[in-house]
């Protein structure tokens, strides 16, 4: 007897076979969904009101309620997102490599969908539409498992999308939503090894960690960002202060914001006060090493070991003075989550060494880490930012939701 | 207090940082290892004799003993393998993509090593050298965990390789061998999440399954091959018989050998006897569906459900007559391990449909599945054949042992 989750898996697998060869029908389906989202805006907002009422009753924070809230503009935004994804080139079928072997075999490596993708996410109902769009365009069936806070909104959005697929050439089960929001359904999805080709968690560090630890299906770890800026002795100090101010304060709650700065001892006395002056504009709390406090004074909180590993996602910044670039790179190797790091320097050799030796998804010279983003990198859209090294690293667009296969054409070759 | 395995992890991680930027020093190290293997041939053969004596005492099968046995030619083969890998282009640092964004950021996507690779394998001691060569050339530190049957040989080979590294610019801990061959050491390696970037099991289906089920580190599943040949109604029948004979009997014990053939009903009466005649030369046992037996007679063993899923790795072949190519593709979708499948046909549309719709790592038209191999595909060398869709699929060469990172060069851009 199959569980409900296994039945979803069977239906998703079945749908994925048709989707893999659906071609332009996928674009028609995306257009139909966009239209349906706008046409059903009132219904979606009504469902969202139920979630918001429930959320208020359950004492959700204002930030959480804001993430949960939809309005006509946000629904229109989901529809626009569908059309943006529709406009991207179809990744499927692209010939990646190929040639003729000495024995006459024609070998072609082509891009194919992964198959069935699971997405586990938290309170934002727009992820339901955004993730579905990216999976559909890349020829994958998706099983969505959103947070319980947004269940009414997610259920309604999923229904609207599935109804739109009914009138299309794409199977309705290309998009499925897990409506059971108990912990168990999450665990069941993490163990759907026979049907799920990959599981992508989207949300806070707690969710990501739980999925990585518990899942038996392949996982792509996303979005944990303990990012660093290293201010080299040969930095343009004003630029360093600008970049640090931007990378810390333009949006502290996101994964590409910085959490620690490392400053070369030769310039710490001059540049740290400049940096502090900028960060004071936004009341950023500094947590510094002893040498930092010797320069900036007792208003800097003493940093403890935990500060170097912390992902504050807040107006807090750890500061450490280092003896050398070598020490900065060792610090990053030890504490970074492998997301984004930056060196500010005017020195060619330092820039070369930092970019070749720092092992993170995105390594910057003289630019804010806030650019680590699918849109900013020109991928068109993004399903998340991978902080692992297997399969995908950094911002993940449509290509990262695909696999490949070899097609070998012969005329009777044997070995 | 760190476990011995964690200490290996720390050393490997440390070594991997130097290896990532070792460039041509890797080639010098490979040459030094090749030389050392030949120079220490006697010592290696002596260690191997201990394994063989132990193996005979423990009643290992003749096939197993043969896989375990080394001789001067096989040691020379390991050294030659080192030099072949040395001669391949260095994958690291290759620019994969890049360009300038409208805001002036220069973004370059470059190939980098994965970091630390674990390999779990069985009785063949040459894997110790082969796997080390591929990992080293691709800039990865490796932790090798071979089978207990080959422990003396593996220990000696690893020592010889590490001694060779001592005189090189590559860290000695680039290559480490787990000498504890208890089950626990295997489990410890599968859970070395903080240090291992990927674990690749090489061996039989049992080993692979155990690793996939128990590992908490990312795994690349390799080498389970339930491969199929579908004989279309428009096939060249003599070619079909040749391909099937080759794909089944040229080396039945390997993963790219076929295990089931599917034959279109319109040609079954004519082609099945031709196929059987060829397979009879090697006394291949056929296990057929009812329709197959109606054509070929009672010498064909009745196939049961399990036969469709079996990876015999032996002179046994399952045979099923199908109503249509559609039914053949459904059979493959249901039972295949996703390794290699072949259609034999002269029909253009059938070839197109089969190659675009069958979802396996390698899909053939009119050629033996035995070509699914890194060497045959022109990769130069192979660490295994991935049957999963994440990260790598099909024969895995040096590129498949790498990741990538984004390098972003700016002049003060903020967001």
């Amino acid at each position: 007897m199959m569980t409900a989750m296994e039945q979803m898996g069977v239906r998703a697998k079945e749908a994925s076979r048709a989707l893999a060869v659906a071609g332009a029908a996928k674009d028609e389906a995306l257009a139909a969904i966009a239209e349906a989202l706008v046409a059903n805006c009132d219904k979606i907002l009504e469902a969202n009101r139920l979630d918001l009422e429930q959320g208020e009753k359950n004492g959700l924070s204002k930030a959480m309620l804001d993430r949960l809230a939809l309005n006509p503009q946000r629904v229109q935004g989901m529809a626009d997102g569908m059309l943006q994804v529709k406009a991207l080139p179809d990744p499927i079928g692209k010939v990646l490599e190929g040639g003729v072997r000495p024995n006459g075999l024609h070998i072609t490596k082509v891009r194919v969908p992964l198959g069935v993708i699971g997405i586990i996410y938290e309170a934002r109902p727009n992820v339901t539409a955004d993730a579905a769009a990216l999976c559909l365009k890349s020829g994958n069936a998706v099983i969505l498992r959103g947070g319980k806070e947004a269940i009414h909104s997610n259920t309604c959005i999923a229904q609207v999308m599935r109804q739109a697929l009914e009138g299309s050439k794409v199977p309705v089960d290309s998009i499925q939503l897990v409506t059971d929001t108990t912990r168990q359904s999450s665990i069941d999805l993490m163990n759907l090894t026979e049907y799920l080709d990959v599981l992508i968690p989207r949300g806070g560090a707690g969710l990501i960690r739980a999925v990585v630890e518990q899942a038996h299906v392949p996982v792509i770890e996303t979005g944990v960002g303990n990012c660093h800026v290293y201010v080299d002795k040969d930095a343009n100090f004003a630029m360093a202060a600008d970049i640090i101010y931007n990378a810390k304060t333009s949006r502290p709650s996101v994964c590409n914001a910085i959490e620690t700065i490392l400053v070369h001892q030769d310039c710490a006395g001059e540049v740290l006060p400049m940096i502090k002056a900028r960060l004071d504009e936004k009341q950023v709390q500094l947590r510094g090493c002893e040498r930092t406090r010797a320069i900036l004074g007792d208003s800097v909180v003493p940093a403890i070991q935990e500060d170097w590993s912390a992902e504050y996602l807040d107006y807090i910044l750890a500061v450490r003075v280092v003896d050398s670039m070598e020490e900065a790179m060792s610090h990053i190797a030890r504490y970074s989550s492998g997301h984004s790091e930056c060196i500010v320097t005017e020195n060619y050799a330092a820039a070369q060494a930092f970019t070749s030796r720092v092992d993170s998804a995105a390594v910057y010279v003289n630019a804010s880490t806030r650019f680590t983003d699918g849109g900013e990198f020109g991928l068109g859209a993004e399903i998340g930012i991978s902080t692992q090294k297997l399969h995908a690293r950094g911002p993940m667009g449509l290509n990262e939701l695909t696999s490949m296969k070899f097609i070998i054409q012969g005329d009777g070759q044997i070995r």
Side-chain angles (χ1 to χ4, degrees), chain A:
Chain A
M1 182 57 190
M2 276 195 179
T3 65
M5 190 64 78
E6 283 169 336
Q7 287 169 13
M8 289 186 88
V10 169
R11 289 196 298 267
K13 204 70 171 171
E14 187 68 28
S16 76
R17 286 202 196 101
L19 254 186
V21 290
K26 298 182 291 190
D27 287 345
E28 291 163 28
L30 287 168
I33 291 174
E35 203 176 313
L37 286 170
V38 175
N40 289 278
C41 183
D42 290 348
K43 210 166 114 184
I44 293 169
L45 294 183
E46 208 172 297
N48 187 243
R49 260 191 297 278
L50 290 177
D51 286 329
L52 289 172
E53 283 170 23
Q54 196 71 49
E56 274 170 30
K57 227 180 280 173
N58 294 343
L60 290 191
S61 69
K62 210 181 151 293
M64 192 79 147
L65 286 172
D66 178 59
R67 263 175 286 183
L68 187 54
L70 294 176
N71 55 38
Q73 291 72 42
R74 286 192 175 179
V75 173
Q76 183 66 49
M78 289 195 273
D80 292 347
M82 285 285 150
L83 298 177
Q84 278 159 19
V85 171
K86 169 180 179 281
L88 294 172
D90 190 342
I92 301 307
K94 183 177 168 68
V95 174
L96 301 170
E97 275 179 72
V100 184
R101 298 291 305 157
N103 59 7
L105 284 179
H106 290 245
I107 302 188
T108 314
K109 189 171 159 182
V110 298
R111 211 183 264 299
V112 299
L114 281 168
V116 179
I117 297 177
I119 313 267
I120 296 192
Y121 53 107
E122 296 182 322
R124 285 179 202 274
N126 61 307
V127 174
T128 309
D130 296 352
L134 288 165
C135 291
L136 202 155
K137 178 82 189 196
S138 53
N140 296 289
V142 67
I143 299 179
L144 299 156
R145 201 286 190 185
K148 63 176 184 309
E149 300 79 9
I151 184 65
H152 294 102
S153 315
N154 291 342
T155 306
C156 184
I157 294 166
Q159 269 172 1
V160 167
M161 294 194 293
R162 286 170 56 91
Q163 272 163 19
L165 293 186
E166 269 169 25
S168 82
K169 288 179 196 136
V170 161
V172 172
D173 287 325
S174 302
I175 302 173
Q176 294 185 88
L177 177 80
V178 180
T179 51
D180 170 3
T181 57
T182 59
R183 219 177 105 70
Q184 189 58 45
S185 78
S186 206
I187 292 169
D188 289 349
L189 189 58
M190 295 185 216
N191 290 298
L192 203 60
T193 43
E194 207 176 329
Y195 305 103
L196 217 57
D197 291 286
V198 65
L199 180 61
I200 304 175
R202 280 187 59 165
L207 171 71
I208 313 280
R209 202 163 36 239
V211 170
V212 169
E213 278 168 15
Q214 296 170 35
H216 282 93
V217 299
V219 170
I220 299 181
E221 213 173 319
T222 65
V224 176
N226 180 15
C227 305
H228 299 74
V229 168
Y230 163 62
V231 182
D232 188 44
K233 65 177 164 50
D234 295 325
N236 172 329
F237 299 154
M239 185 194 284
D242 280 350
I243 287 173
I244 289 167
Y245 176 78
N246 179 264
K248 179 72 256 182
T249 70
S250 63
R251 209 170 156 201
S253 65
V254 293
C255 60
N256 56 21
I258 57 168
E259 308 295 4
T260 296
I261 61 170
L262 304 162
V263 181
H264 194 286
Q265 58 178 357
D266 291 359
C267 64
E270 186 175 350
V271 75
L272 275 177
M274 293 171 66
I275 294 167
K276 183 171 187 302
R278 293 299 310 274
L279 294 173
D280 279 349
E281 296 170 26
K282 298 272 187 183
Q283 286 92 45
V284 175
Q285 184 193 90
L286 301 183
R287 301 191 182 175
C289 67
E290 276 316 302
R291 286 197 279 182
T292 303
R293 296 184 73 232
I295 294 164
L296 294 180
D298 288 350
S299 71
V300 173
V301 179
I304 57 171
Q305 185 68 18
E306 283 68 37
D307 284 302
W308 310 132
S309 312
E311 190 186 13
Y312 302 119
L313 301 174
D314 203 347
Y315 290 91
I316 305 173
L317 183 67
V319 187
R320 185 174 171 191
V321 175
V322 293
D323 292 342
S324 61
M325 182 169 76
E326 207 57 47
E327 194 182 338
M329 292 195 293
S330 293
H331 181 103
I332 290 168
R334 177 150 178 212
Y335 296 107
S336 169
S337 62
H339 191 298
S340 300
E341 331 292 346
C342 168
I343 181 174
V344 184
T345 192
E346 298 297 310
N347 182 301
Y348 175 78
Q352 289 295 103
F354 192 86
T355 51
S356 49
R357 292 180 48 202
V358 169
D359 185 27
S360 290
V363 186
Y364 291 83
V365 182
N366 296 345
S368 171
T369 56
R370 290 274 293 109
F371 288 107
T372 305
D373 170 275
E376 293 293 333
F377 277 18
L379 305 184
E382 169 191 297
I383 192 93
I385 294 174
S386 166
T387 50
Q388 69 179 37
K389 297 174 85 174
L390 214 64
H391 185 72
R393 198 178 196 200
M396 297 170 60
L398 290 173
N399 286 349
E400 285 67 35
L401 297 180
T402 67
S403 181
M404 41 67 59
K405 71 179 176 189
F406 292 95
I407 294 173
I408 305 100
Q409 295 164 305
D411 45 16
Q413 282 85 345
I414 58 175
R415 186 181 172 192

